[in-house]
Amino acid sequence: MIELNNYETIYILKPDITEDKNLNLVNTYKAIINNLGGQNILIQHRGRRHLSYNINQYYDGTYVQMNYQGNGSIVKSLEKALKMNNNIIRYLTINNKEIKI
């Protein structure tokens, strides 16, 4: 049995992206995670927010957060897809390890 880590990926979409296009992107990335064996996928739309500093001449962006269980190859494939999409202005993936005291 393969041990799966907990990951959180947040990406910022350009502010002019329509809701339909946003949902299509979410479904595409969800399919990538599912097809590669990811589990417990939770998508949260964080909405449009003002950026602390401009990124590529954008001052606002639409935030989407994805929490899932997977391995490094899933993260690599997902980040490659995020990088190739021109509608995404920034993304970040972190490994959510529970801290035990």
Side-chain angles (χ1 to χ4, degrees), residues 8 12 24 36 53 70 72 84 89 91:
E8 179 178 301
I12 306 171
N24 286 339
L36 296 174
Y53 56 91
M84 300 303 276
I89 55 178
Y91 63 90

Side-chain angles (χ1 to χ4, degrees), residues 47-66:
R48 188 172 173 159
R49 296 188 180 188
H50 183 72
L51 303 174
S52 296
Y53 56 91
N54 68 333
I55 303 173
N56 299 336
Q57 306 300 321
Y58 292 103
Y59 293 95
D60 293 332
T62 303
Y63 285 69
V64 178
Q65 176 181 341
M66 299 186 296

Side-chain angles (χ1 to χ4, degrees), residues 83-100:
K83 185 186 238 182
M84 300 303 276
N85 191 322
N86 293 332
N87 294 318
I88 295 176
I89 55 178
R90 190 68 44 102
Y91 63 90
L92 176 70
T93 300
I94 60 169
N95 187 344
N96 271 342
K97 292 183 181 177
E98 292 184 22
I99 300 172
K100 295 182 181 177

